[in-house]
Amino acid sequence: MPDSHLCDKKSLVAIMDSLEVGIIFVDGNNDIIFINKAAEKIRRMKNEDRLGTSILDCHGGKMKDRVLDVMNSFKVNSDYKRHKTIKTNGNYFDNAYNLVKDENEEFLGVVLLSQDVTEKKALEDELKHANEQLEEKVKQRTEEIEQAYEQLKVAQQQLMQSEKMSAIGQFVAGLAHQINNPLDGIQNCLHTISNDLTNIDQTKNYIDLSIEGLYKIEILVRKLLSYARPHEFEKNVLNVNTILEDILSLTLLKLKDRNISLVKDFCPELPQIFGDGHHLEQMFVNLIINAFDAMGKGGELSVKTYADEDGMINIKIADTGKGIPKENLQKIFEPFYTTKQKNNGTGLGLYLSYNAVTQHGGKILVKSEVGKGTEFIVSLPAFRNESE
Protein backbone atom coordinates (compact mmCIF):
# COMPACT_ATOMS: atom_id res chain seq x y z
CA MET A 1 0.00 0.00 0.00
CA PRO A 2 2.78 2.54 0.85
CA ASP A 3 4.52 1.86 -2.48
CA SER A 4 1.22 2.32 -4.29
CA HIS A 5 0.62 5.61 -2.43
CA LEU A 6 4.14 6.75 -3.25
CA CYS A 7 3.61 5.84 -6.88
CA ASP A 8 0.41 7.93 -6.95
CA LYS A 9 2.24 10.88 -5.43
CA LYS A 10 5.04 10.60 -7.98
CA SER A 11 2.54 10.38 -10.77
CA LEU A 12 0.74 13.46 -9.46
CA VAL A 13 4.02 15.38 -9.23
CA ALA A 14 4.97 14.26 -12.74
CA ILE A 15 1.61 15.41 -14.04
CA MET A 16 1.96 18.84 -12.43
CA ASP A 17 5.57 19.12 -13.64
CA SER A 18 4.38 18.44 -17.19
CA LEU A 19 2.08 21.48 -17.11
CA GLU A 20 3.17 24.84 -18.53
CA VAL A 21 1.27 26.50 -15.69
CA GLY A 22 3.37 27.32 -12.65
CA ILE A 23 2.03 25.81 -9.40
CA ILE A 24 3.14 26.79 -5.90
CA PHE A 25 1.39 25.54 -2.76
CA VAL A 26 1.74 27.41 0.56
CA ASP A 27 0.36 25.79 3.72
CA GLY A 28 -1.42 27.32 6.72
CA ASN A 29 1.92 28.21 8.32
CA ASN A 30 2.88 30.22 5.23
CA ASP A 31 5.50 27.64 4.29
CA ILE A 32 6.13 26.63 0.65
CA ILE A 33 5.28 22.94 0.33
CA PHE A 34 5.32 22.38 -3.43
CA ILE A 35 6.81 24.02 -6.53
CA ASN A 36 6.44 22.47 -9.97
CA LYS A 37 9.04 22.87 -12.75
CA ALA A 38 7.10 25.58 -14.56
CA ALA A 39 6.94 27.63 -11.33
CA GLU A 40 10.70 27.18 -10.83
CA LYS A 41 11.28 28.63 -14.28
CA ILE A 42 8.73 31.45 -13.93
CA ARG A 43 9.74 32.44 -10.40
CA ARG A 44 13.47 31.71 -10.94
CA MET A 45 13.63 29.54 -7.81
CA LYS A 46 14.74 26.01 -6.96
CA ASN A 47 12.82 23.35 -5.02
CA GLU A 48 15.81 22.59 -2.84
CA ASP A 49 16.22 26.24 -1.91
CA ARG A 50 12.59 27.14 -1.23
CA LEU A 51 10.71 24.04 -0.07
CA GLY A 52 9.96 24.29 3.64
CA THR A 53 10.77 28.00 3.79
CA SER A 54 8.25 30.73 4.48
CA ILE A 55 6.62 32.54 1.57
CA LEU A 56 7.30 35.71 3.54
CA ASP A 57 11.06 35.20 3.06
CA CYS A 58 10.61 35.74 -0.68
CA HIS A 59 9.70 39.37 -0.07
CA GLY A 60 10.92 42.26 1.95
CA GLY A 61 9.71 45.58 3.34
CA LYS A 62 6.11 46.59 2.70
CA MET A 63 5.61 43.77 0.20
CA LYS A 64 6.26 41.23 2.97
CA ASP A 65 3.46 42.80 5.05
CA ARG A 66 1.20 42.78 2.01
CA VAL A 67 1.79 39.05 1.41
CA LEU A 68 1.05 38.32 5.08
CA ASP A 69 -2.24 40.26 4.81
CA VAL A 70 -3.21 38.24 1.73
CA MET A 71 -2.50 34.90 3.47
CA ASN A 72 -4.47 35.96 6.55
CA SER A 73 -7.38 37.03 4.33
CA PHE A 74 -7.58 33.51 2.90
CA LYS A 75 -7.53 32.02 6.41
CA VAL A 76 -10.43 34.10 7.77
CA ASN A 77 -12.57 34.42 4.62
CA SER A 78 -13.44 31.31 2.66
CA ASP A 79 -14.84 33.45 -0.19
CA TYR A 80 -11.69 35.52 -0.59
CA LYS A 81 -10.18 35.50 -4.09
CA ARG A 82 -7.15 37.16 -5.62
CA HIS A 83 -6.15 37.59 -9.23
CA LYS A 84 -3.58 39.85 -10.85
CA THR A 85 -1.31 40.13 -13.86
CA ILE A 86 2.36 40.86 -13.26
CA LYS A 87 5.35 41.54 -15.50
CA THR A 88 8.57 39.64 -14.78
CA ASN A 89 11.73 39.71 -16.89
CA GLY A 90 9.87 41.11 -19.88
CA ASN A 91 7.08 38.54 -19.77
CA TYR A 92 3.50 38.87 -18.48
CA PHE A 93 2.06 36.27 -16.10
CA ASP A 94 -1.53 35.79 -15.04
CA ASN A 95 -1.53 34.88 -11.32
CA ALA A 96 -4.55 33.31 -9.65
CA TYR A 97 -4.63 32.51 -5.92
CA ASN A 98 -7.01 29.76 -4.81
CA LEU A 99 -8.05 28.54 -1.38
CA VAL A 100 -7.38 24.85 -0.57
CA LYS A 101 -9.51 22.95 2.01
CA ASP A 102 -9.55 19.38 3.28
CA GLU A 103 -12.55 17.06 3.30
CA ASN A 104 -13.75 18.71 6.50
CA GLU A 105 -13.64 22.18 4.94
CA GLU A 106 -10.62 23.04 7.08
CA PHE A 107 -8.06 25.48 5.70
CA LEU A 108 -5.01 23.76 4.27
CA GLY A 109 -3.34 26.61 2.40
CA VAL A 110 -3.23 28.57 -0.80
CA VAL A 111 -2.22 27.42 -4.28
CA LEU A 112 -0.78 29.97 -6.71
CA LEU A 113 -1.23 29.34 -10.44
CA SER A 114 1.00 31.32 -12.81
CA GLN A 115 0.45 31.23 -16.56
CA ASP A 116 2.53 32.99 -19.19
CA VAL A 117 0.18 35.36 -21.06
CA THR A 118 2.83 37.40 -22.86
CA GLU A 119 1.58 36.41 -26.30
CA LYS A 120 -2.02 36.99 -25.26
CA LYS A 121 -1.09 40.39 -23.80
CA ALA A 122 0.71 41.31 -27.02
CA LEU A 123 -2.37 40.35 -29.04
CA GLU A 124 -4.59 42.35 -26.68
CA ASP A 125 -2.30 45.37 -26.99
CA GLU A 126 -2.28 44.97 -30.76
CA LEU A 127 -6.07 44.69 -30.79
CA LYS A 128 -6.38 47.74 -28.51
CA HIS A 129 -4.08 49.71 -30.80
CA ALA A 130 -6.07 48.58 -33.84
CA ASN A 131 -9.30 49.63 -32.12
CA GLU A 132 -7.83 53.02 -31.26
CA GLN A 133 -6.76 53.47 -34.89
CA LEU A 134 -10.21 52.36 -36.05
CA GLU A 135 -11.92 54.77 -33.65
CA GLU A 136 -9.70 57.58 -34.89
CA LYS A 137 -10.51 56.74 -38.51
CA VAL A 138 -14.23 56.53 -37.70
CA LYS A 139 -13.96 59.91 -35.96
CA GLN A 140 -12.20 61.39 -38.99
CA ARG A 141 -14.73 59.89 -41.41
CA THR A 142 -17.60 61.10 -39.22
CA GLU A 143 -16.17 64.62 -39.26
CA GLU A 144 -15.73 64.39 -43.03
CA ILE A 145 -19.30 63.17 -43.46
CA GLU A 146 -20.63 65.95 -41.20
CA GLN A 147 -18.61 68.50 -43.15
CA ALA A 148 -19.87 67.09 -46.46
CA TYR A 149 -23.42 67.16 -45.10
CA GLU A 150 -23.05 70.82 -44.12
CA GLN A 151 -21.66 71.59 -47.58
CA LEU A 152 -24.57 69.72 -49.12
CA LYS A 153 -27.03 71.77 -47.04
CA VAL A 154 -25.34 74.97 -48.19
CA ALA A 155 -25.47 73.79 -51.81
CA GLN A 156 -29.14 72.90 -51.44
CA GLN A 157 -29.87 76.35 -49.98
CA GLN A 158 -28.03 77.93 -52.89
CA LEU A 159 -30.03 75.84 -55.35
CA MET A 160 -33.27 76.84 -53.68
CA GLN A 161 -32.24 80.49 -53.72
CA SER A 162 -31.39 80.19 -57.41
CA GLU A 163 -34.83 78.70 -58.08
CA LYS A 164 -36.43 81.52 -56.09
CA MET A 165 -34.66 84.14 -58.19
CA SER A 166 -35.71 82.31 -61.35
CA ALA A 167 -39.34 82.33 -60.18
CA ILE A 168 -39.19 86.01 -59.27
CA GLY A 169 -37.83 86.69 -62.75
CA GLN A 170 -40.90 85.05 -64.26
CA PHE A 171 -43.27 87.08 -62.06
CA VAL A 172 -41.45 90.42 -62.12
CA ALA A 173 -43.35 91.89 -65.07
CA GLY A 174 -46.68 91.16 -63.43
CA LEU A 175 -45.46 92.40 -60.06
CA ALA A 176 -44.33 95.68 -61.60
CA HIS A 177 -47.81 96.11 -63.07
CA GLN A 178 -49.40 95.35 -59.68
CA ILE A 179 -47.21 98.04 -58.11
CA ASN A 180 -47.68 100.58 -60.93
CA ASN A 181 -51.47 100.51 -60.74
CA PRO A 182 -51.72 101.78 -57.15
CA LEU A 183 -48.80 104.19 -57.80
CA ASP A 184 -50.73 105.74 -60.70
CA GLY A 185 -53.76 106.05 -58.43
CA ILE A 186 -51.70 107.72 -55.71
CA GLN A 187 -50.19 110.13 -58.24
CA ASN A 188 -53.67 111.10 -59.54
CA CYS A 189 -54.90 111.63 -55.98
CA LEU A 190 -51.97 113.93 -55.16
CA HIS A 191 -52.47 115.95 -58.36
CA THR A 192 -56.16 116.40 -57.56
CA ILE A 193 -55.37 117.51 -54.01
CA SER A 194 -52.72 120.00 -55.17
CA ASN A 195 -55.16 121.56 -57.66
CA ASP A 196 -57.74 122.31 -54.96
CA LEU A 197 -56.12 122.58 -51.54
CA THR A 198 -59.15 124.31 -50.03
CA ASN A 199 -61.45 121.34 -50.59
CA ILE A 200 -61.04 119.62 -47.20
CA ASP A 201 -63.48 116.75 -47.83
CA GLN A 202 -61.88 115.94 -51.20
CA THR A 203 -58.39 116.10 -49.68
CA LYS A 204 -59.36 113.75 -46.86
CA ASN A 205 -60.96 111.29 -49.28
CA TYR A 206 -57.95 111.20 -51.64
CA ILE A 207 -55.47 110.92 -48.77
CA ASP A 208 -57.37 107.83 -47.54
CA LEU A 209 -57.25 106.38 -51.08
CA SER A 210 -53.50 107.11 -51.31
CA ILE A 211 -52.84 105.40 -47.96
CA GLU A 212 -54.83 102.37 -49.11
CA GLY A 213 -52.75 102.22 -52.32
CA LEU A 214 -49.49 102.47 -50.37
CA TYR A 215 -50.67 99.69 -48.07
CA LYS A 216 -51.30 97.42 -51.08
CA ILE A 217 -47.80 98.13 -52.39
CA GLU A 218 -46.31 97.50 -48.93
CA ILE A 219 -48.06 94.13 -48.61
CA LEU A 220 -46.95 93.05 -52.09
CA VAL A 221 -43.33 94.12 -51.57
CA ARG A 222 -43.25 92.49 -48.14
CA LYS A 223 -44.45 89.19 -49.59
CA LEU A 224 -41.86 89.39 -52.37
CA LEU A 225 -39.01 90.19 -49.98
CA SER A 226 -40.08 87.45 -47.59
CA TYR A 227 -40.13 84.94 -50.44
CA ALA A 228 -36.75 86.07 -51.82
CA ARG A 229 -34.91 86.19 -48.48
CA PRO A 230 -32.47 83.30 -47.74
CA HIS A 231 -33.13 81.52 -44.45
CA GLU A 232 -32.34 78.45 -42.39
CA PHE A 233 -34.71 75.48 -42.28
CA GLU A 234 -37.10 76.09 -39.36
CA LYS A 235 -40.44 74.45 -38.68
CA ASN A 236 -43.51 76.21 -37.30
CA VAL A 237 -47.24 75.57 -37.10
CA LEU A 238 -48.63 76.71 -40.47
CA ASN A 239 -51.85 77.04 -42.42
CA VAL A 240 -51.45 75.68 -45.96
CA ASN A 241 -54.32 77.81 -47.27
CA THR A 242 -52.51 81.00 -46.17
CA ILE A 243 -49.28 79.92 -47.89
CA LEU A 244 -51.15 79.20 -51.13
CA GLU A 245 -53.03 82.51 -51.00
CA ASP A 246 -49.73 84.41 -50.67
CA ILE A 247 -48.16 82.52 -53.57
CA LEU A 248 -51.18 82.95 -55.82
CA SER A 249 -51.29 86.70 -55.08
CA LEU A 250 -47.79 86.98 -56.55
CA THR A 251 -48.81 85.04 -59.68
CA LEU A 252 -52.24 86.58 -60.24
CA LEU A 253 -51.26 88.91 -63.09
CA LYS A 254 -49.25 86.18 -64.81
CA LEU A 255 -52.47 84.13 -64.85
CA LYS A 256 -54.35 86.99 -66.50
CA ASP A 257 -51.60 87.66 -69.05
CA ARG A 258 -51.63 83.98 -70.06
CA ASN A 259 -55.43 83.94 -70.20
CA ILE A 260 -55.41 81.19 -67.55
CA SER A 261 -58.36 80.92 -65.23
CA LEU A 262 -57.83 80.07 -61.58
CA VAL A 263 -60.14 77.69 -59.72
CA LYS A 264 -59.61 77.62 -55.95
CA ASP A 265 -61.24 75.08 -53.69
CA PHE A 266 -59.77 75.54 -50.21
CA CYS A 267 -61.12 73.61 -47.25
CA PRO A 268 -62.16 76.37 -44.78
CA GLU A 269 -61.46 74.25 -41.69
CA LEU A 270 -58.20 72.72 -42.91
CA PRO A 271 -56.04 71.40 -40.04
CA GLN A 272 -52.63 73.02 -39.59
CA ILE A 273 -49.29 71.43 -40.42
CA PHE A 274 -45.85 71.64 -38.81
CA GLY A 275 -43.30 72.76 -41.38
CA ASP A 276 -41.01 75.35 -42.91
CA GLY A 277 -43.10 77.96 -44.68
CA HIS A 278 -40.35 79.12 -47.04
CA HIS A 279 -39.55 75.61 -48.28
CA LEU A 280 -43.24 74.92 -48.82
CA GLU A 281 -43.68 78.24 -50.64
CA GLN A 282 -40.84 77.31 -52.98
CA MET A 283 -42.35 73.87 -53.58
CA PHE A 284 -45.79 75.31 -54.47
CA VAL A 285 -44.23 78.00 -56.69
CA ASN A 286 -42.34 75.31 -58.62
CA LEU A 287 -45.52 73.31 -59.18
CA ILE A 288 -47.48 76.39 -60.25
CA ILE A 289 -44.75 77.57 -62.63
CA ASN A 290 -44.68 74.11 -64.20
CA ALA A 291 -48.44 74.37 -64.69
CA PHE A 292 -48.02 77.81 -66.37
CA ASP A 293 -45.34 76.52 -68.71
CA ALA A 294 -47.35 73.42 -69.58
CA MET A 295 -50.44 75.44 -70.56
CA GLY A 296 -48.85 78.27 -72.53
CA LYS A 297 -51.67 80.63 -73.62
CA GLY A 298 -55.01 79.70 -72.13
CA GLY A 299 -56.12 76.98 -69.77
CA GLU A 300 -57.27 76.34 -66.25
CA LEU A 301 -55.22 76.09 -63.08
CA SER A 302 -56.97 74.28 -60.25
CA VAL A 303 -55.73 74.43 -56.64
CA LYS A 304 -57.56 72.39 -54.02
CA THR A 305 -56.90 71.62 -50.35
CA TYR A 306 -58.55 68.94 -48.22
CA ALA A 307 -57.89 66.60 -45.32
CA ASP A 308 -58.28 62.83 -45.49
CA GLU A 309 -59.09 60.15 -42.93
CA ASP A 310 -55.41 59.24 -42.49
CA GLY A 311 -54.57 62.59 -40.91
CA MET A 312 -52.92 63.97 -44.04
CA ILE A 313 -53.37 67.42 -45.56
CA ASN A 314 -53.64 67.15 -49.34
CA ILE A 315 -52.92 69.89 -51.87
CA LYS A 316 -53.92 69.18 -55.45
CA ILE A 317 -52.49 71.40 -58.21
CA ALA A 318 -53.85 70.53 -61.65
CA ASP A 319 -53.50 72.09 -65.10
CA THR A 320 -55.03 71.55 -68.51
CA GLY A 321 -51.69 71.66 -70.32
CA LYS A 322 -49.93 69.36 -72.73
CA GLY A 323 -49.29 66.60 -70.16
CA ILE A 324 -46.26 64.40 -69.53
CA PRO A 325 -45.53 61.25 -71.59
CA LYS A 326 -45.83 58.06 -69.54
CA GLU A 327 -42.18 57.12 -70.12
CA ASN A 328 -41.05 60.43 -68.54
CA LEU A 329 -43.12 60.27 -65.35
CA GLN A 330 -40.47 58.25 -63.53
CA LYS A 331 -37.78 60.85 -64.37
CA ILE A 332 -39.44 64.14 -63.47
CA PHE A 333 -38.12 64.23 -59.87
CA GLU A 334 -34.54 63.53 -60.93
CA PRO A 335 -32.11 66.50 -60.67
CA PHE A 336 -31.47 68.43 -63.90
CA TYR A 337 -34.14 66.54 -65.81
CA THR A 338 -36.29 68.99 -67.79
CA THR A 339 -38.52 68.98 -70.85
CA LYS A 340 -38.48 72.77 -71.11
CA GLN A 341 -36.49 74.79 -73.60
CA LYS A 342 -32.80 75.21 -72.88
CA ASN A 343 -33.10 78.71 -71.39
CA ASN A 344 -36.43 78.16 -69.66
CA GLY A 345 -35.62 75.77 -66.84
CA THR A 346 -32.83 74.30 -64.69
CA GLY A 347 -34.36 70.87 -64.13
CA LEU A 348 -34.15 71.40 -60.36
CA GLY A 349 -37.65 72.64 -59.56
CA LEU A 350 -39.38 69.29 -59.13
CA TYR A 351 -36.24 67.76 -57.58
CA LEU A 352 -36.23 70.46 -54.87
CA SER A 353 -40.00 70.12 -54.48
CA TYR A 354 -39.65 66.38 -53.88
CA ASN A 355 -36.94 67.02 -51.26
CA ALA A 356 -39.08 69.65 -49.52
CA VAL A 357 -42.03 67.26 -49.28
CA THR A 358 -39.95 64.35 -47.93
CA GLN A 359 -38.29 66.67 -45.38
CA HIS A 360 -41.78 67.27 -44.01
CA GLY A 361 -42.61 63.56 -43.80
CA GLY A 362 -44.97 63.78 -46.75
CA LYS A 363 -45.23 62.43 -50.26
CA ILE A 364 -45.91 63.79 -53.73
CA LEU A 365 -47.78 61.96 -56.48
CA VAL A 366 -48.26 62.87 -60.12
CA LYS A 367 -50.88 61.86 -62.67
CA SER A 368 -50.71 63.00 -66.26
CA GLU A 369 -52.22 62.34 -69.66
CA VAL A 370 -50.73 63.73 -72.84
CA GLY A 371 -52.96 66.42 -74.35
CA LYS A 372 -55.20 66.67 -71.27
CA GLY A 373 -53.04 67.91 -68.41
CA THR A 374 -51.15 67.07 -65.24
CA GLU A 375 -52.15 66.75 -61.61
CA PHE A 376 -49.77 66.88 -58.63
CA ILE A 377 -51.01 65.82 -55.19
CA VAL A 378 -48.87 66.80 -52.20
CA SER A 379 -49.70 65.05 -48.91
CA LEU A 380 -48.37 66.48 -45.64
CA PRO A 381 -48.95 65.22 -42.07
CA ALA A 382 -51.44 67.27 -40.06
CA PHE A 383 -50.12 68.92 -36.89
CA ARG A 384 -51.48 67.26 -33.76
CA ASN A 385 -49.62 68.47 -30.68
CA GLU A 386 -46.30 69.97 -29.61
CA SER A 387 -44.85 66.76 -28.11
CA GLU A 388 -45.57 64.81 -31.28
Side-chain angles (χ1 to χ4, degrees):
M1 179 68 85
D3 290 342
S4 175
H5 179 72
L6 184 62
C7 180
D8 289 343
K9 182 178 179 181
K10 286 182 178 181
S11 297
L12 183 60
V13 170
I15 290 171
M16 288 191 286
D17 279 340
S18 69
L19 299 176
E20 294 184 358
V21 177
I23 303 173
I24 299 176
F25 176 67
V26 180
D27 68 7
N29 296 319
N30 299 330
D31 293 332
I32 300 173
I33 304 301
F34 177 78
I35 305 173
N36 75 342
K37 292 186 179 300
E40 286 185 289
K41 182 179 178 181
I42 293 170
R43 294 288 179 169
R44 293 176 178 257
M45 59 174 62
K46 294 292 184 180
N47 260 300
E48 56 266 27
D49 296 334
R50 290 298 184 184
L51 286 182
T53 65
S54 174
I55 187 69
L56 302 179
D57 295 338
C58 297
H59 306 279
K62 293 182 179 180
M63 182 56 69
K64 184 175 183 179
D65 296 335
R66 177 63 179 151
V67 172
L68 181 60
D69 289 341
V70 170
M71 293 302 299
N72 290 335
S73 296
F74 276 107
K75 292 175 184 178
V76 300
N77 185 358
S78 61
D79 295 325
Y80 184 74
K81 295 180 181 179
R82 183 170 171 79
H83 184 278
K84 65 183 295 187
T85 300
I86 64 171
K87 184 178 181 180
T88 303
N89 299 318
N91 287 351
Y92 289 90
F93 294 93
D94 185 63
N95 291 340
Y97 302 77
N98 297 282
L99 182 66
V100 181
K101 300 178 183 179
D102 63 14
E103 62 272 14
N104 297 318
E105 294 294 313
E106 294 294 330
F107 177 78
L108 290 179
V110 176
V111 62
L112 166 62
L113 304 178
S114 295
Q115 186 171 9
D116 192 332
V117 292
T118 304
E119 185 176 347
K120 177 184 176 184
K121 182 70 167 56
L123 289 174
E124 288 177 349
D125 290 343
E126 186 177 345
L127 179 61
K128 181 181 178 182
H129 180 65
N131 282 335
E132 289 173 350
Q133 287 183 318
L134 180 60
E135 288 176 0
E136 182 61 28
K137 288 181 179 179
V138 169
K139 180 181 177 182
Q140 291 176 358
R141 295 298 180 269
T142 301
E143 291 174 352
E144 290 173 2
I145 291 171
E146 289 176 349
Q147 185 178 6
Y149 176 67
E150 290 301 319
Q151 292 173 346
L152 181 62
K153 281 175 34 177
V154 171
Q156 186 177 22
Q157 290 291 338
Q158 291 173 342
L159 286 175
M160 288 194 65
Q161 194 62 23
S162 175
E163 282 295 301
K164 282 185 178 182
M165 295 302 104
S166 176
I168 289 173
Q170 293 199 43
F171 297 146
V172 70
L175 292 171
H177 187 73
Q178 285 180 271
I179 291 173
N180 283 334
N181 280 344
L183 280 178
D184 289 340
I186 293 169
Q187 188 177 32
N188 290 333
C189 287
L190 293 177
H191 278 307
T192 303
I193 292 171
S194 65
N195 290 332
D196 189 3
L197 294 175
T198 59
N199 191 336
I200 303 301
D201 291 337
Q202 177 181 269
T203 299
K204 185 178 182 303
N205 181 44
Y206 281 128
I207 287 177
D208 290 341
L209 290 173
S210 298
I211 292 173
E212 183 181 344
L214 288 172
Y215 179 73
K216 289 180 180 179
I217 294 172
E218 180 189 0
I219 294 297
L220 186 62
V221 172
R222 189 180 297 169
K223 287 180 180 179
L224 185 61
L225 290 176
S226 175
Y227 175 72
R229 188 181 300 115
H231 78 290
E232 294 293 328
F233 187 86
E234 183 180 356
K235 287 187 173 182
N236 294 288
V237 180
L238 305 169
N239 187 303
V240 169
N241 288 344
T242 302
I243 295 174
L244 289 169
E245 289 285 10
D246 287 343
I247 292 301
L248 290 172
S249 69
L250 293 175
T251 64
L252 191 59
L253 201 65
K254 189 177 180 70
L255 287 168
K256 292 180 181 179
D257 289 343
R258 291 280 190 92
N259 195 28
I260 295 172
S261 61
L262 174 63
V263 178
K264 293 192 299 183
D265 183 9
F266 291 174
C267 174
E269 298 180 357
L270 192 70
Q272 293 178 311
I273 65 167
F274 190 62
D276 183 290
H278 290 271
H279 279 68
L280 295 177
E281 280 181 355
Q282 180 64 46
M283 182 263 294
F284 291 135
V285 166
N286 290 337
L287 296 180
I288 290 171
I289 287 177
N290 278 353
F292 287 155
D293 293 337
M295 287 185 284
K297 293 289 185 178
E300 180 181 282
L301 173 66
S302 172
V303 183
K304 180 180 180 179
T305 62
Y306 60 96
D308 61 26
E309 295 178 353
D310 296 326
M312 301 295 285
I313 306 304
N314 299 290
I315 304 94
K316 182 168 71 172
I317 299 175
D319 64 63
T320 57
K322 58 187 178 182
I324 304 171
K326 186 176 181 180
E327 62 271 17
N328 292 340
L329 283 176
Q330 299 299 321
K331 305 176 185 177
I332 61 174
F333 295 115
E334 295 177 2
F336 304 110
Y337 177 80
T338 179
T339 58
K340 299 178 182 180
Q341 295 179 359
K342 185 176 181 180
N343 297 323
N344 195 30
T346 62
L348 293 172
L350 289 178
Y351 166 72
L352 293 173
S353 297
Y354 179 85
N355 286 345
V357 173
T358 54
Q359 276 183 309
H360 288 79
K363 59 184 179 180
I364 180 170
L365 302 175
V366 57
K367 299 177 184 178
S368 189
E369 187 175 346
V370 174
K372 292 189 175 181
T374 302
E375 175 183 286
F376 285 91
I377 300 178
V378 176
S379 297
L380 301 170
F383 173 75
R384 295 182 181 176
N385 55 62
E386 291 291 345
S387 60
E388 191 173 346

